[in-house]
Amino acid sequence: KAGVTQTPRYLIKTRGQQVTLSCSPISGHRSVSWYQQTPGQGLQFLFEYFSETQRNKGNFPGRFSGRQFSNSRSEMNVSTLELGDSALYLCASSWEGTGELFFGEGSRLTVL
Amino acid sequence: GIQVEQSPPDLILQEGANSTLRCNFSDSVNNLQWFHQNPWGQLINLFYIPSGTKQNGRLSATTVATERYSLLYISSSQTTDSGVYFCAVERGRRALTFGSGTRLQVQP
């Protein structure tokens, strides 16, 4: 059974640009959530989607957005990139949103 | 929100030694997971353990929900056990709150 797949794995952007990250959950999982990991703030929850609906959102500015498609794949977008957005972005999937979460390998974003 | 504290923050062991990592949380939870973050950043599931005791090879974990703590035991440590171990809890919001991690270094 394939795990959670995230693309791209690495990317470099400049300030002011925008970026889109993609996440394919484990087959059969309907919940996808996103987390940001930085050295200063650690791992922080961004948002969670279930059946194409955002059910929960963390404390991040509106520049961070996401969506989920009918096949449960999810994308997150960060607009007007800032240096502080440099981070590892991790996607997780689960059956219903509670219970055990499984993480992908992450997308490492560097903003110059 | 819920607070998660992990101790110790750093741990250096000789290969073959045993260790105990602790996770304290400030409120009741309905989900607790232990992860090992590999050098490439992926969070590897170790245990899903909101209560009780589980064992998987050289690793075991115990969560005492009524006293709001969990322990991860690593026996006969190997160099491949090196990395950062995270405890994460969920309290009905479908969002994990992570501790700051324990960085483990196992020396040959």
XYZ file of all heavy atoms in Angstrom, chain B residues 9-10 14 18 21 23-24 40 50 60 62 72 77 82-83 87 90 92 98 106:
149
model
N 15.508 17.059 26.397
C 15.608 17.641 25.059
C 16.709 16.988 24.223
O 16.553 16.880 23.001
C 15.921 19.117 25.315
C 16.387 19.187 26.716
C 15.771 18.045 27.449
N 17.772 16.580 24.878
C 18.883 15.937 24.176
C 19.354 14.734 24.978
O 19.349 14.756 26.210
C 20.052 16.907 23.986
C 19.692 18.072 23.094
O 19.708 17.887 21.865
O 19.360 19.150 23.622
N 25.528 5.371 24.403
C 26.396 4.413 23.749
C 25.516 3.292 23.180
O 24.471 2.934 23.758
C 27.404 3.828 24.738
C 28.449 4.817 25.222
C 29.321 5.335 24.093
O 29.378 6.529 23.838
N 29.984 4.414 23.391
N 20.033 1.456 27.141
C 18.579 1.634 27.148
C 18.248 3.078 27.473
O 19.058 3.786 28.103
C 17.929 0.726 28.195
C 18.240 -0.742 27.968
O 18.419 -1.178 26.832
N 18.315 -1.492 29.054
N 12.168 8.060 27.152
C 11.784 9.411 26.769
C 10.400 9.675 27.333
O 9.529 8.790 27.321
C 11.751 9.543 25.231
C 13.061 9.701 24.485
C 14.029 8.547 24.740
C 12.805 9.850 22.990
N 6.872 12.214 27.799
C 5.974 13.210 27.197
C 4.888 13.521 28.210
O 4.124 12.614 28.601
C 5.380 12.647 25.908
S 4.073 13.644 25.149
N 4.821 14.778 28.643
C 3.760 15.232 29.537
C 2.798 16.125 28.755
O 3.241 16.949 27.940
C 4.338 16.033 30.705
C 5.150 15.177 31.655
O 4.937 13.979 31.792
N 6.107 15.801 32.330
N 15.880 12.796 6.617
C 15.291 13.461 5.463
C 14.010 14.221 5.820
O 13.404 14.829 4.972
C 15.012 12.422 4.365
C 16.285 11.816 3.894
C 17.126 12.259 2.921
C 16.902 10.633 4.439
N 18.216 11.415 2.817
C 18.100 10.432 3.716
C 16.548 9.744 5.451
C 18.954 9.358 4.001
C 17.404 8.683 5.725
C 18.591 8.495 5.008
N -3.122 6.194 22.667
C -3.817 7.117 23.562
C -3.911 6.604 25.001
O -4.121 7.391 25.926
C -5.207 7.234 22.937
C -5.329 6.091 22.013
C -3.955 5.716 21.580
N 9.054 0.161 23.042
C 7.759 0.010 23.690
C 7.309 1.377 24.177
O 8.126 2.296 24.324
C 7.807 -1.001 24.833
O 8.664 -0.550 25.862
N 4.219 3.426 26.796
C 3.147 3.363 27.792
C 2.546 4.747 27.925
O 3.276 5.725 28.049
C 3.678 2.917 29.161
O 4.147 1.572 29.063
C 2.597 3.006 30.218
N 8.303 6.524 26.190
C 8.813 5.706 25.086
C 10.117 5.073 25.552
O 11.035 5.782 25.971
C 9.051 6.560 23.841
C 9.670 5.841 22.639
C 8.675 4.840 22.056
C 10.092 6.850 21.565
N 19.924 0.156 22.273
C 19.917 1.161 21.207
C 20.988 0.879 20.150
O 22.061 0.332 20.435
C 20.098 2.552 21.798
O 21.285 2.626 22.554
N 19.266 6.913 16.085
C 19.550 8.349 16.205
C 18.514 9.162 15.428
O 17.988 8.718 14.402
C 20.951 8.663 15.688
O 21.935 8.023 16.483
N 18.251 10.345 15.924
C 17.283 11.230 15.283
C 16.464 11.940 16.343
O 16.811 11.953 17.517
N 6.550 13.438 20.362
C 5.258 13.038 20.897
C 4.243 14.055 20.381
O 4.541 15.248 20.342
C 5.336 13.057 22.425
S 3.759 12.994 23.284
N -3.737 14.872 20.362
C -4.904 15.504 19.757
C -6.033 15.508 20.779
O -6.226 14.534 21.497
C -5.352 14.740 18.518
C -6.500 15.393 17.793
C -7.550 14.410 17.323
O -7.244 13.219 17.209
O -8.693 14.834 17.075
N -9.557 16.292 20.140
C -10.858 16.492 19.519
C -10.923 17.558 18.438
O -12.000 17.901 17.989
N 2.298 19.045 18.744
C 3.575 18.357 18.917
C 4.369 18.939 20.076
O 4.318 20.146 20.348
C 4.428 18.491 17.653
C 3.996 17.600 16.526
C 2.935 17.951 15.709
C 4.662 16.408 16.277
C 2.530 17.126 14.663
C 4.274 15.588 15.231
C 3.205 15.945 14.434
N 23.019 8.146 19.197
C 23.570 6.874 19.660
C 24.956 6.726 19.050
O 25.103 6.691 17.825
C 22.682 5.687 19.262
C 23.291 4.377 19.778
C 21.271 5.872 19.797
